[in-house]
């Protein structure tokens, strides 16, 4: 019988090694109080690939229960622990085990399984194999239901059965922990998805004649939200304000900062700020919220006049939008007068440039993830703005517009890259079609006697037909 480890030692004074010719790769802690029971006798010694430690009570078990123990062989005939029984030091927290809420033993079995529930509490990460003193199948099954990985009867204690049972219990415990971690990971992913989906913008275009479409694809695997951000709102004077931006980086911190900047932009825009004043204030928000002074953000804002024929453009280190007028190929808007990215230069200025849109047009705003993809697997050549303009014009010639145009553009960029894009991609498309406006005006019901000139405008969803 191996001697138990003295309290001052971290390893047992003696261990029963495996049979000759076997490599010891599993450590078994036997908890039983009867030296004559034979649990640690020839059967365990002959079990392939096992080393044995023994404890005669739960106090000794607590001292021997180290991280290298793979399986606990527990005799259910062990005396029931009293209120003052030590639980050992350094026992893992129950929150780490596979299955945090184990069922309680049946009332008529609670006393017989008290020692098992105690061991499960102090050893939540270890496999537990129980031994019954007699062929009590009901008690053994109840022990497994409560949390043990398997059971054995004393009459079955031969080397082959014991070795197989130990290894089965260890693998089942590992599978239980892995399944528990997988379930928790799935729940966290669902919660993150709901959170990220709630943080994506809902454009406020109620009462506007402009159409709207957007596509968003984060660069992070299994993410819904990245460092890119966009938004569109209509102010009470009828001006439609649109914005698209990109925080440098692709992690969750950048995604959170992008959301903060978007919400700040919406609040400032609805408060009446525009152009340089708005961007200066956004830079202050960025400087206070960023994790490092090296973090910056590019931004493009447009404010479209109520008649839809003119717009103001501000660029903060961001690619210029793409404008397609009716019957003409798309072209990039001027970008020579742009200012620096937000967060780079203190007291920077961002001039606002007036742009003529015309009567019928489409305006595409995008982040650099759309133009920095490769043009062929393994190629070092980037798509670039010129390649993007040619690609969009090709799709326009095919008659694509609105949602179909954006989906085709993002899909083609991904195919040219030879796989998923590493950078976040956000694309926003605004458009004005006078013929559609006239058709809607003709189909609108005339006010009746009870109607007023200030009838409620169409809902926001009615403002999003494809171009």
């Amino acid at each position: 019988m191996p001697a138990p480890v003295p309290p001052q030692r971290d390893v047992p004074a003696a261990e029963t090694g495996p049979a000759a010719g076997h490599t010891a790769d599993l450590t078994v802690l036997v908890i039983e109080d009867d030296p004559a029971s034979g649990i640690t006798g020839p059967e365990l010694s002959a079990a392939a690939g096992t080393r044995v430690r023994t404890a005669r009570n739960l106090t000794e078990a607590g001292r021997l229960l180290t991280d290298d123990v793979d399986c606990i062989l527990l005799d259910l005939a062990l005396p029931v622990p009293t209120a003052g029984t030590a639980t050992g030091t350094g026992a893992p927290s129950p929150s780490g085990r596979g299955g945090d809420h184990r069922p309680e033993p049946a009332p008529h079995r609670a006393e017989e399984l008290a020692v098992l529930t105690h061991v499960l509490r102090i050893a939540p990460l270890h496999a537990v194999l129980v031994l019954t003193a007699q062929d009590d199948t009901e008690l053994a099954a109840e022990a497994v239901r409560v949390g043990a990985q398997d059971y054995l009867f004393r009459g079955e204690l031969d080397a082959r059965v014991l070795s197989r049972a130990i290894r089965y219990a260890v693998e089942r415990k590992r599978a239980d922990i892995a399944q528990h971690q997988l379930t928790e990971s799935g729940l966290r992913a669902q919660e993150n998805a709901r959170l990220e989906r709630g943080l994506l913008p809902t454009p406020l275009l109620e009462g506007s004649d402009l159409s709207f479409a957007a596509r968003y694809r984060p660069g992070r695997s299994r993410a819904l939200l990245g460092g890119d951000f966009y938004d569109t709102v209509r102010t009470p004077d009828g001006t439609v304000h649109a914005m698209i931006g990109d925080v440098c980086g692709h992690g969750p911190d950048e995604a959170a900062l992008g959301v903060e900047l978007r919400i700040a932009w919406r609040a400032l825009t609805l408060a009446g700020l525009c152009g340089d004043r708005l961007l200066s204030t956004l830079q202050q928000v960025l400087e206070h919220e960023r994790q490092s002074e090296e973090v910056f953000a590019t931004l493009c804002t447009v404010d479209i006049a109520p008649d839809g024929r003119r717009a103001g453009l501000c660029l903060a280190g961001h690619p210029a939008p793409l404008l397609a007028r009716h019957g003409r190929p798309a072209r990039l808007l001027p970008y020579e007068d742009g200012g620096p990215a937000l967060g780079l230069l203190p007291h920077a200025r961002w001039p606002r440039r007036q742009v003529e849109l015309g009567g019928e047009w489409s305006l595409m705003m995008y982040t650099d993830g759309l133009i920095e993809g490769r043009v062929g697997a393994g190629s070092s050549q980037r798509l670039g703005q010129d390649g993007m303009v040619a690609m969009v014009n090709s799709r326009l010639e095919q008659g694509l517009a609105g949602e179909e145009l954006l989906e085709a553009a993002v899909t083609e960029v991904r195919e040219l890259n030879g796989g998923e894009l590493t950078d976040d991609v956000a694309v926003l498309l605004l458009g004005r079609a006078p013929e559609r406006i006239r058709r809607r005006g003709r189909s609108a019901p005339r006010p009746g006697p009870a109607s007023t000139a200030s009838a409620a405008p169409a809902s926001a969803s009615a403002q999003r037909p494809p171009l």
Side-chain angles (χ1 to χ4, degrees):
M1 172 68 67
V5 177
Q8 69 272 16
R9 297 193 56 180
D10 296 328
V11 295
E15 291 183 341
T16 303
H22 295 294
T23 301
D25 58 356
L26 290 180
T27 300
V28 179
L29 173 61
V30 179
I31 308 176
E32 56 86 28
D33 68 336
D34 184 6
S37 65
I39 295 179
T40 57
E43 295 83 7
L44 272 175
S45 299
T50 59
R51 295 182 301 182
V52 181
R53 300 177 185 174
T54 59
R56 297 187 181 184
N57 53 56
L58 294 176
T59 301
E60 291 184 4
R63 290 198 301 267
L64 295 174
L65 188 60
T66 53
D67 291 339
D68 60 332
V69 172
D70 298 288
C71 182
I72 298 173
L73 188 56
L74 176 65
D75 185 3
L76 290 182
L78 198 71
V80 178
T82 61
T85 302
T87 61
T89 59
S93 169
S95 61
R97 69 193 181 197
D100 288 345
H101 305 287
R102 288 196 174 96
E104 294 294 330
H108 66 288
R109 294 290 188 183
E111 184 175 348
E112 295 173 284
L113 295 176
V115 66
L116 172 61
T117 56
H118 184 85
V119 168
L120 293 174
R121 185 167 61 252
I122 67 172
L125 300 179
H126 294 76
V128 178
L129 183 62
V130 297
L131 285 170
T132 59
Q134 65 279 343
D135 293 345
D136 192 340
T137 305
E138 183 181 347
L139 177 63
E142 182 71 8
V144 172
R145 190 187 73 84
V146 169
Q149 273 60 60
D150 204 353
Y151 64 86
L152 287 173
F153 300 125
R154 288 189 182 279
E156 297 178 342
L157 284 183
D158 63 73
R160 175 180 294 183
V161 172
L162 190 54
S163 177
R164 184 172 63 245
I166 290 173
R167 293 184 177 277
Y168 170 78
V170 170
E171 293 304 320
R172 180 177 177 182
K173 182 62 178 182
R174 290 173 180 170
D176 289 345
I177 293 176
Q179 181 60 43
H180 178 68
Q181 293 173 342
L182 183 62
T183 301
E184 284 191 337
S185 177
L187 292 175
R188 283 195 300 268
Q190 293 176 11
E191 292 174 355
N192 291 340
R194 287 195 295 269
L195 175 62
E196 292 180 348
R197 192 176 295 111
L199 292 176
L200 289 173
T202 301
L204 300 179
L205 288 175
E206 185 172 352
S208 172
D209 292 324
L210 302 184
S211 58
F212 171 87
R215 279 293 180 273
Y216 194 99
R217 179 171 294 178
R220 289 184 297 140
S221 176
R222 298 183 297 277
L224 294 178
L225 200 62
D228 291 2
F229 54 98
Y230 68 89
D231 205 351
T232 307
V233 299
R234 180 177 183 266
T235 49
D237 64 355
T239 303
V240 172
H241 302 260
M243 170 272 292
I244 194 165
D246 181 4
V247 178
C248 66
H250 316 292
D253 292 335
E254 289 77 10
L257 181 56
V259 171
E260 293 178 23
L261 292 175
R262 179 186 68 79
I263 294 174
W265 176 87
R266 174 175 286 199
L268 294 171
T269 299
L270 293 176
L273 272 67
C274 184
D276 184 74
R277 289 181 59 203
L278 187 149
L279 293 177
S280 297
T281 309
L282 280 181
Q283 175 158 282
Q284 295 180 35
V285 174
L286 172 66
E287 292 171 346
H288 282 86
E289 298 296 332
R290 62 186 176 184
Q291 299 292 323
S292 166
E293 292 185 358
E294 298 178 354
V295 175
F296 63 90
T298 65
L299 198 69
C300 170
T301 68
V302 296
D303 53 278
I304 303 171
D307 63 4
R309 305 181 70 88
R310 294 172 304 280
L313 170 66
C314 285
L315 294 175
H318 199 87
L322 189 66
L323 176 64
R325 294 192 178 98
H326 179 63
R328 302 181 188 177
R331 64 177 180 85
L332 294 172
L333 291 179
Y335 52 85
E336 294 83 3
D337 297 334
L342 303 181
L344 289 183
L345 298 176
H347 313 297
R349 289 291 177 264
W350 296 272
R352 177 178 175 274
R353 183 173 189 139
Q354 191 74 14
V355 178
E356 293 296 327
L357 299 177
E360 186 172 352
W361 49 266
S362 298
L363 183 68
M364 190 176 85
M365 305 166 68
Y366 54 93
T367 57
D368 58 8
L370 189 69
I371 60 177
E372 290 190 348
R374 310 287 181 177
V375 287
S379 172
S380 60
Q381 182 182 356
R382 305 279 185 176
L383 177 64
Q385 288 181 295
D386 292 340
M388 180 199 65
V389 173
M391 178 187 66
V392 171
N393 280 324
S394 175
R395 297 297 182 176
L396 289 173
E397 292 174 359
Q398 297 174 9
L400 299 184
E403 300 280 352
E404 292 182 349
L405 175 61
L406 295 189
E407 184 64 30
V410 174
T411 300
E412 183 173 350
V413 168
R414 179 182 176 277
E415 292 175 351
L416 288 173
N417 190 61
E420 289 296 339
L421 300 166
T422 58
D423 199 0
D424 305 326
V425 176
V427 192
L428 185 153
L429 189 65
L430 290 169
R432 182 177 187 270
E435 180 58 33
R436 182 178 62 83
I437 298 172
R438 286 192 294 270
R439 287 199 304 269
R440 193 177 67 176
R442 288 194 297 266
S443 62
R446 296 183 178 181
S451 301
T452 65
S454 59
S459 64
S461 60
Q463 308 305 317
R464 302 183 191 176
L467 290 174

